[in-house]
Amino acid sequence: MNGSRSRSRPEYIPAHIPDPSYVRILDTTLRDGEQAPGAAMMAEQKLRIARQLAKLGVDVIEAGFPSASQEDFNGVKMIAEEVGSKYDDDGYVPVIVAMCRCNEKDIRTAWEAVKEAKRPRLLPFIATSPIHMEYKLRKTKEEVLQIARSMVAFARSLGCRDIEFGAEDAARSDREFLYQIFGEVIEAGATTLGIGDTVGITMPFEFGKLIADIKDNTPGIEKAIIAVHCHNDLGHATANTIEATRAGARQLEVTVNGIGERAGNAALEEVVMALRCRGDHLLGGLYTGINTKHILKTSKMVEEYSGMHLQPHKAIVGHNAFLHESGIHQDGLLKHRGTYEILSPEDIGYERSKEANMVLGKLSGRQVLKKRLKELGYELKEDEVKSVFQNFKAMAEKKKRVTDVDLKALVSDQVCDVEPIWKLGGLEVTCGTMNFSSTTIELVTMDGTTHVACSVGKGPVDSAFKAVDLIVKEAVKVLEYSPNTVTEGTDATITIHVVICKENAHSATSTLNENTIYPTFSGSGEGVDVVVSSVEAYLSALNKMLHFKQ
Amino acid sequence: MNGSRSRSRPEYIPAHIPDPSYVRILDTTLRDGEQAPGAAMMAEQKLRIARQLAKLGVDVIEAGFPSASQEDFNGVKMIAEEVGSKYDDDGYVPVIVAMCRCNEKDIRTAWEAVKEAKRPRLLPFIATSPIHMEYKLRKTKEEVLQIARSMVAFARSLGCRDIEFGAEDAARSDREFLYQIFGEVIEAGATTLGIGDTVGITMPFEFGKLIADIKDNTPGIEKAIIAVHCHNDLGHATANTIEATRAGARQLEVTVNGIGERAGNAALEEVVMALRCRGDHLLGGLYTGINTKHILKTSKMVEEYSGMHLQPHKAIVGHNAFLHESGIHQDGLLKHRGTYEILSPEDIGYERSKEANMVLGKLSGRQVLKKRLKELGYELKEDEVKSVFQNFKAMAEKKKRVTDVDLKALVSDQVCDVEPIWKLGGLEVTCGTMNFSSTTIELVTMDGTTHVACSVGKGPVDSAFKAVDLIVKEAVKVLEYSPNTVTEGTDATITIHVVICKENAHSATSTLNENTIYPTFSGSGEGVDVVVSSVEAYLSALNKMLHFKQ
């Protein structure tokens, strides 16, 4: 298996899929995903996501809810006119869908927004469960039935040939009522039936049975595609979605990273990779048209634009999803990837070497550490490895993951856990609104000699570091200058962390794409004076660098 | 339903549960959870989590892997001797389990660690799948069988009466081999059989079938409890775990927040709340002994200690899990909670008013805003609400969630979007290693009058703020002082954000537990001089406060 589509995508016909094994993916990141508290995105961001979804190859993009606001309307229209208007060489262009409530105004607005797409679709929805009809809609079954039928017909009358009727809270609806309303909307022109587990309450066997029953009992069901839309309130969204395919669903409604109202929706990457991993054998040959190599990039884009940061153990796309920490697992992987890996990171778009996904922690052995140090560019002697390993174990025992940056620092410390070459004697800084700052500094060497220098700079920290540089005379690059994030009051202790490397350090790129190999050195300082703390952090890092050089 | 246990917990007998509807929960946060890359915890933290797990009422605590290191051994021993040694009034004490590989040394070490518990259990495990046996263990089926049988007998010989035999990668193992090995370990004294979907590959119907087959075909199965241990690589861990209960599993192995190797394990909170929500009707009366009101607190503790931060849409315990943003959903909720809520936040330990879980965003209407403002303590006139609503919509349209702090700032800005009362004229600061800093500052009023003052302070920012205070003469409390987190180089622009309130502000507590009602004011400043930027941020916030006062 490679990361591209395994089979060709069948021709798009709204109410029929020529290959019964093909499963359509509808992505609703831009509509249901954006409903996640705090996930509102700007029109330009949505457009970029839509472009990326087209690269990913989703069959259908639910682009928004045009009646919600003018901005939403514009966003959907822009997507329809740009992303929905270009066929690729294989004749693929995503269907662009606009959601609308079951009233003429909403439907007309939605149609205005999507009609310029090559494949426009409307998605009028209404709730079908007793609790929603009684308390939210305050309508009888008969009224809801009549509204659904007439609004689908109205959508059709505008010239729309691709209509998905959405039954909100279908999972809690009366079976017979669902058969009836679905039968009638098919007759009125609906081409897809959206079955929502809006509150995320069902379990797979139960949801699969619902889909099977609808397939068996809805009049005219052969003239429509069954779609499912699952929420994750009880952690079952992905499993319900996959189970529905076994019962006949052929359009799966998902969001990138699983974002959405409350606990979110079924996650595109989980549903797609589950089908990819198990579709062939376990699920009788089911497949999608998704180019899985674009999953990682899409996930990162949605994470950034929506501000919905993923937990490290998020399946498929979380930072840890392909990482292995325990010694037993790492040992197994070195012997055979398949012992603990059912998907490879490359499938979803990672480019990295085979061993890169082992995390060093207290359970890791010396061979794994040695291998990693080598990958990072360190050729250490056996006794040096041994000594780094001891410090590594001590660090790992104390806390958390040992990252590559930590490892570099460990190697550096290894060679320089000795008396500092330069110590801070004293410091005087002036700054303010003169647009420059000056620092006078005294540094003391190991033998007690004092050196004094003075420098101007753009701010107090800049002038102080420059004054240090005048004495130490090393070409240094500050890679990271980070104060701790939040304090209460202004007289609290502030911690500063500084990471440096030699300016123009030889930066050979390793096999690991994102790693540049050069020794980096870090230092911390803390106190009530932000400038003094910064200088202490800087000196600490500098001393390590100088020892390393020796 | 309330948050406490719905039925009493049956007596603990290792190999038998007197009530066939009772499902045991084994929590492995401290063992498999800690294997999550980067989640290593300190012994003291683990002990605290174990205490909390006992409050939560988990039946079994898998406390660690004593052979991994001395620290792990000590951690397990401490938990066994403290948390595992106290019966509560109902006769409950958690079983304490130590994992061990199938060799005498591991088993002996594990037994030393747990034997002081009232209910100690050993968990020797070995892989049973062809790929693991061939590549990792390099052993034949017969060898594995012999090892399993003899090591369970060895554990028994040490005096252990409660033995769980774990079949690693059982989901990919040969059925007949599983029946055989399980049959033999039961005979050798195993009381629980752990069935691992170690790589997280199965789908619910498939995993349920595996459990049913094991139940139907394993000799002597009536003398043991079937346990399942599912991983989440394809997003199916929770669903597989629940489905297994339908097939006869009666011990569910989970972790708090679902942390664990790679994509983690089935999440305790999802499994428990799914059983609570659906156990009675859908699942034939299944129930657990978990006191769900402790879920939230346990989740936060594990999040903090493990450093595994949850995504906002994490089911049950994510920040958004009970939040509703879209106007349609909020409208529904105001009419009837059940329209969009199947669990109530109070069930897992939230204490908050019914409407608190609506998030204000661009889809929210004016009534919801007004209600929230009132909850926050603002009694605004109708035209003021209208005007705040306009600014609120503009803010919401641009980006992200509008939080309570934003709302407070909006109300404040509302009243003070006018010329600043105090402007910065000039500033001169000296600081350094003298242990104090001094600032001379010039502020200019609206009519052009200048005021100069000078103050010492503990650091440059402190002295500068104090100099401002000398002129402005307001009792101000700095609630938050936050520089932006990370910059490259030291001459880059730094942004400072300051939040203040009046010192001794009347702090009536609202019905919402965590909210204190007093107006807060925020300001930002940016530039290359960290002190000047801080003063600008402070003045901006101060000006708002002074206008609000007028």
Side-chain angles (χ1 to χ4, degrees):
Chain A
M1 279 204 301
N2 62 29
S4 49
R5 301 199 287 267
S6 45
R7 290 190 245 173
S8 66
R9 189 194 303 267
E11 185 193 355
Y12 184 75
I13 305 166
H16 175 68
I17 303 176
D19 182 345
S21 296
Y22 185 79
V23 179
R24 287 180 185 161
I25 298 294
L26 176 149
D27 181 275
T28 181
T29 306
L30 300 176
R31 202 276 301 164
D32 209 342
E34 205 208 9
Q35 273 177 226
M41 292 177 271
M42 287 174 279
E44 174 63 25
Q45 295 176 323
K46 290 182 168 186
L47 182 61
R48 280 189 213 149
I49 290 173
R51 286 186 198 126
Q52 183 64 25
L53 290 171
K55 277 190 199 157
L56 192 61
V58 305
D59 303 273
V60 188
I61 296 175
E62 186 170 351
F65 183 21
S67 298
S69 72
Q70 186 62 41
E71 171 137 357
D72 272 319
F73 178 88
N74 296 342
V76 175
K77 195 161 156 55
M78 226 160 42
I79 291 168
E81 291 175 359
E82 192 206 294
V83 183
S85 69
K86 279 178 254 160
Y87 289 102
D88 74 3
D89 296 342
D90 300 327
Y92 158 79
V93 65
V95 174
I96 308 296
V97 187
M99 189 181 86
C100 40
R101 281 166 297 197
C102 272
N103 65 59
E104 293 196 2
K105 184 159 171 286
D106 261 37
I107 294 172
R108 205 177 271 121
T109 305
W111 182 240
E112 283 305 308
V114 293
K115 68 179 183 191
E116 298 303 327
K118 295 288 182 201
R119 292 174 181 156
R121 182 192 289 185
L122 291 178
L123 199 170
F125 75 96
I126 195 162
T128 52
S129 66
I131 185 172
H132 274 234
M133 291 191 291
E134 179 177 349
Y135 294 100
K136 193 183 69 167
L137 301 178
R138 290 167 183 158
K139 295 201 186 308
T140 63
K141 276 185 178 185
E142 289 64 36
E143 287 170 314
V144 168
L145 201 59
Q146 192 274 325
I147 291 169
R149 193 174 45 216
S150 64
M151 288 303 109
V152 168
F154 177 71
R156 193 93 186 169
S157 76
L158 296 177
C160 183
R161 289 282 161 274
D162 190 349
I163 299 168
E164 174 169 349
F165 170 76
E168 194 188 5
D169 206 19
R172 291 191 297 178
S173 301
D174 173 55
R175 287 281 211 277
E176 296 295 330
F177 184 56
L178 285 178
Y179 308 152
Q180 190 183 2
I181 197 167
F182 284 146
E184 299 217 11
V185 296
I186 291 171
E187 209 165 276
T191 44
T192 300
L193 307 176
I195 297 163
D197 181 8
T198 305
V199 295
I201 197 173
T202 59
M203 309 279 112
F205 72 96
E206 178 191 21
F207 193 64
K209 181 74 166 57
L210 172 67
I211 303 305
D213 286 348
I214 288 169
K215 197 176 172 193
D216 289 346
N217 295 289
T218 301
I221 192 71
E222 66 287 351
K223 285 180 282 179
I225 306 295
I226 297 177
V228 294
H229 179 107
C230 297
H231 277 270
N232 201 38
D233 295 72
L234 296 176
H236 280 69
T238 297
N240 284 339
T241 303
I242 295 293
E243 182 67 15
T245 64
R246 295 212 311 140
R250 286 297 178 270
Q251 179 180 289
L252 310 181
E253 308 194 357
V254 294
T255 63
V256 176
N257 298 340
I259 67 172
E261 283 277 349
R262 307 183 312 278
N265 292 60
L268 179 142
E269 61 279 6
E270 294 173 12
V271 166
V272 166
M273 294 314 282
L275 283 173
R276 182 181 165 83
C277 190
R278 311 305 311 282
D280 266 349
H281 301 293
L282 189 72
L283 303 170
L286 296 183
Y287 70 105
T288 73
I290 300 298
N291 186 336
T292 63
K293 286 214 185 273
H294 289 287
I295 284 179
L296 185 67
K297 192 175 168 198
T298 314
S299 165
K300 297 246 178 254
M301 186 185 273
V302 169
E303 185 171 15
E304 186 189 334
Y305 292 165
S306 70
M308 302 282 281
H309 293 288
L310 296 181
Q311 56 203 24
H313 52 304
K314 169 73 184 67
I316 311 291
V317 290
H319 185 268
N320 289 356
F322 291 97
L323 293 179
H324 304 270
E325 172 157 301
S326 95
I328 292 168
H329 287 209
Q330 293 184 351
D331 173 59
L333 282 169
L334 288 179
K335 290 172 179 163
H336 190 298
R337 301 298 301 172
T339 49
Y340 291 98
E341 205 165 85
I342 56 173
L343 297 167
S344 79
E346 290 78 9
D347 286 344
I348 66 157
Y350 277 106
E351 295 179 27
R352 47 180 184 178
S353 79
K354 287 209 302 187
E355 276 72 30
N357 46 343
M358 290 193 199
V359 168
L360 298 177
K362 63 175 183 178
L363 305 171
S364 303
R366 197 156 93 198
Q367 288 315 307
V368 173
L369 175 74
K370 194 176 161 187
K371 196 156 189 167
R372 188 78 193 126
L373 288 173
K374 205 171 165 187
E375 286 169 352
L376 290 174
Y378 296 109
E379 296 283 355
L380 300 184
K381 291 181 214 112
E382 205 50 49
D383 60 326
E384 285 173 328
V385 172
K386 193 172 163 189
S387 155
V388 172
F389 184 66
Q390 279 170 355
N391 292 344
F392 158 77
K393 274 290 196 186
M395 178 186 266
E397 191 71 57
K398 267 194 215 126
K399 202 139 193 1
K400 308 296 167 200
R401 145 194 328 213
V402 180
T403 64
D404 288 350
V405 172
D406 292 327
L407 277 188
K408 289 176 185 175
L410 271 180
V411 173
S412 313
D413 289 349
Q414 192 60 35
V415 201
C416 58
D417 189 12
V418 286
E419 217 190 325
I421 296 176
W422 295 100
K423 276 194 230 177
L424 181 61
L427 178 69
E428 201 175 299
V429 181
T430 62
C431 63
T433 46
M434 303 155 287
N435 287 322
F436 55 82
S437 162
S438 69
T439 295
T440 308
I441 198 163
E442 182 190 61
L443 298 183
V444 186
T445 58
M446 288 160 88
D447 61 7
T449 323
T450 59
H451 297 249
V452 176
C454 148
S455 173
V456 292
K458 287 187 186 155
V461 176
D462 189 47
S463 68
F465 283 24
K466 284 199 167 110
V468 171
D469 291 345
L470 284 176
I471 298 176
V472 176
K473 296 193 180 69
E474 281 291 327
V476 174
K477 187 173 177 190
V478 176
L479 294 172
E480 190 182 312
Y481 171 81
S482 52
N484 61 349
T485 40
V486 179
T487 57
E488 186 179 321
T490 50
D491 57 351
T493 296
I494 291 179
T495 307
I496 305 287
H497 187 71
V498 170
V499 180
I500 62 171
C501 69
K502 270 189 76 68
E503 183 86 67
N504 302 322
H506 175 63
S507 59
T509 305
S510 84
T511 50
L512 306 173
N513 248 26
E514 292 157 35
N515 274 300
T516 306
I517 301 172
Y518 44 77
T520 63
F521 304 89
S522 66
S524 294
E526 65 171 36
V528 289
D529 187 314
V530 60
V531 187
V532 176
S533 305
S534 300
V535 170
E536 277 169 355
Y538 188 49
L539 278 178
S540 159
L542 260 178
N543 278 318
K544 286 185 192 169
M545 191 175 110
L546 293 170
H547 273 290
F548 190 74
K549 198 177 153 192
Q550 291 174 342
Chain B
M1 282 203 302
N2 62 29
S4 49
R5 301 199 286 266
S6 45
R7 291 189 243 173
S8 65
R9 190 192 304 266
E11 185 193 356
Y12 184 76
I13 304 167
H16 175 69
I17 303 176
D19 181 345
S21 296
Y22 185 78
V23 179
R24 288 180 184 161
I25 298 294
L26 175 149
D27 180 276
T28 181
T29 305
L30 301 175
R31 203 275 301 162
D32 208 343
E34 205 207 8
Q35 274 179 228
M41 293 177 272
M42 288 174 281
E44 174 61 27
Q45 295 176 324
K46 290 182 169 187
L47 181 62
R48 281 190 212 149
I49 289 174
R51 285 185 199 129
Q52 183 64 25
L53 290 171
K55 277 192 200 157
L56 191 62
V58 305
D59 303 273
V60 189
I61 295 175
E62 187 171 349
F65 182 21
S67 297
S69 72
Q70 187 61 41
E71 171 136 356
D72 270 319
F73 178 88
N74 295 342
V76 175
K77 194 159 157 55
M78 226 159 42
I79 290 168
E81 292 175 359
E82 192 206 295
V83 183
S85 69
K86 281 176 252 161
Y87 288 102
D88 75 5
D89 296 341
D90 300 327
Y92 159 79
V93 66
V95 175
I96 308 293
V97 186
M99 189 180 87
C100 41
R101 281 165 298 194
C102 272
N103 64 61
E104 293 195 1
K105 184 159 172 285
D106 261 37
I107 294 171
R108 203 177 272 120
T109 306
W111 182 241
E112 282 306 309
V114 294
K115 68 180 182 191
E116 299 303 326
K118 295 287 182 203
R119 293 174 181 156
R121 182 192 287 185
L122 291 178
L123 199 169
F125 75 96
I126 195 163
T128 52
S129 66
I131 186 171
H132 274 235
M133 291 191 290
E134 178 177 350
Y135 294 100
K136 193 183 69 168
L137 301 178
R138 290 169 184 158
K139 296 205 186 303
T140 63
K141 277 183 176 185
E142 290 64 35
E143 287 170 315
V144 169
L145 201 59
Q146 193 274 327
I147 291 169
R149 193 175 45 218
S150 64
M151 288 304 107
V152 168
F154 178 71
R156 194 92 186 170
S157 76
L158 297 178
C160 182
R161 288 281 161 275
D162 190 349
I163 299 168
E164 174 169 348
F165 170 75
E168 193 189 6
D169 206 19
R172 291 191 297 178
S173 300
D174 173 55
R175 287 280 211 276
E176 296 295 330
F177 183 56
L178 286 178
Y179 307 152
Q180 191 183 0
I181 198 166
F182 284 146
E184 300 217 10
V185 296
I186 291 171
E187 209 164 275
T191 44
T192 299
L193 307 175
I195 297 163
D197 181 9
T198 305
V199 295
I201 197 172
T202 59
M203 310 278 112
F205 71 95
E206 177 190 21
F207 193 64
K209 180 76 166 56
L210 172 67
I211 304 305
D213 286 349
I214 288 168
K215 198 177 173 192
D216 289 344
N217 294 287
T218 301
I221 191 71
E222 66 287 351
K223 286 179 280 179
I225 307 296
I226 296 176
V228 293
H229 179 106
C230 298
H231 277 269
N232 201 36
D233 296 74
L234 296 177
H236 280 68
T238 298
N240 284 339
T241 302
I242 295 293
E243 182 67 17
T245 63
R246 295 214 308 140
R250 285 296 178 271
Q251 179 182 288
L252 309 181
E253 309 193 356
V254 294
T255 62
V256 176
N257 298 342
I259 67 172
E261 283 276 350
R262 308 184 311 278
N265 292 57
L268 180 143
E269 61 279 5
E270 294 174 12
V271 166
V272 167
M273 293 313 283
L275 282 173
R276 180 181 166 83
C277 190
R278 310 306 309 283
D280 266 347
H281 301 291
L282 190 71
L283 303 170
L286 297 182
Y287 70 105
T288 73
I290 300 298
N291 186 335
T292 64
K293 284 209 186 278
H294 289 287
I295 284 180
L296 186 67
K297 192 174 168 197
T298 314
S299 164
K300 298 242 178 260
M301 185 185 272
V302 169
E303 185 171 15
E304 187 190 332
Y305 292 166
S306 69
M308 302 281 283
H309 292 287
L310 296 182
Q311 57 202 26
H313 52 301
K314 169 73 183 69
I316 310 291
V317 290
H319 184 268
N320 288 356
F322 291 96
L323 293 180
H324 303 270
E325 171 158 301
S326 96
I328 292 168
H329 288 208
Q330 293 186 350
D331 173 60
L333 283 168
L334 288 179
K335 291 171 178 163
H336 189 297
R337 300 300 300 172
T339 49
Y340 292 97
E341 205 166 84
I342 56 175
L343 298 167
S344 78
E346 290 78 8
D347 287 344
I348 66 158
Y350 278 105
E351 293 179 27
R352 47 180 182 178
S353 78
K354 287 211 299 188
E355 276 72 31
N357 47 342
M358 290 194 199
V359 167
L360 298 177
K362 64 176 182 176
L363 305 172
S364 303
R366 198 155 93 199
Q367 288 316 308
V368 173
L369 174 73
K370 194 176 161 186
K371 197 156 190 167
R372 187 79 192 124
L373 287 173
K374 205 171 167 187
E375 286 169 353
L376 290 174
Y378 296 110
E379 296 282 357
L380 300 185
K381 294 182 212 109
E382 204 50 48
D383 60 327
E384 286 172 328
V385 173
K386 193 171 162 188
S387 154
V388 171
F389 184 65
Q390 278 170 355
N391 292 344
F392 158 77
K393 275 289 196 186
M395 179 186 265
E397 190 70 59
K398 267 193 217 126
K399 202 136 193 2
K400 308 297 166 202
R401 146 194 327 214
V402 181
T403 65
D404 288 350
V405 172
D406 292 326
L407 277 188
K408 289 176 185 174
L410 270 181
V411 173
S412 313
D413 289 350
Q414 193 60 35
V415 202
C416 60
D417 187 12
V418 286
E419 217 190 328
I421 296 176
W422 295 100
K423 276 194 231 178
L424 181 61
L427 180 68
E428 201 173 299
V429 181
T430 61
C431 64
T433 47
M434 303 155 288
N435 286 323
F436 54 83
S437 162
S438 69
T439 296
T440 308
I441 197 164
E442 183 191 62
L443 297 184
V444 186
T445 58
M446 287 160 90
D447 61 6
T449 323
T450 59
H451 298 248
V452 176
C454 147
S455 173
V456 291
K458 287 187 189 155
V461 175
D462 190 46
S463 67
F465 283 24
K466 285 199 165 109
V468 170
D469 291 345
L470 284 176
I471 298 176
V472 175
K473 298 193 179 64
E474 281 291 327
V476 173
K477 186 171 176 193
V478 177
L479 295 171
E480 188 183 315
Y481 171 81
S482 52
N484 61 348
T485 41
V486 178
T487 58
E488 185 178 324
T490 51
D491 57 351
T493 296
I494 292 177
T495 306
I496 305 289
H497 188 71
V498 169
V499 180
I500 63 172
C501 70
K502 269 189 79 66
E503 184 84 68
N504 303 320
H506 174 64
S507 58
T509 305
S510 84
T511 49
L512 307 173
N513 247 25
E514 292 157 36
N515 274 299
T516 307
I517 299 171
Y518 45 76
T520 63
F521 304 89
S522 67
S524 295
E526 65 171 36
V528 290
D529 188 314
V530 59
V531 187
V532 175
S533 305
S534 301
V535 170
E536 278 171 353
Y538 188 50
L539 279 178
S540 159
L542 261 178
N543 278 317
K544 286 184 192 169
M545 192 176 110
L546 294 171
H547 272 290
F548 190 75
K549 196 177 154 194
Q550 291 177 341

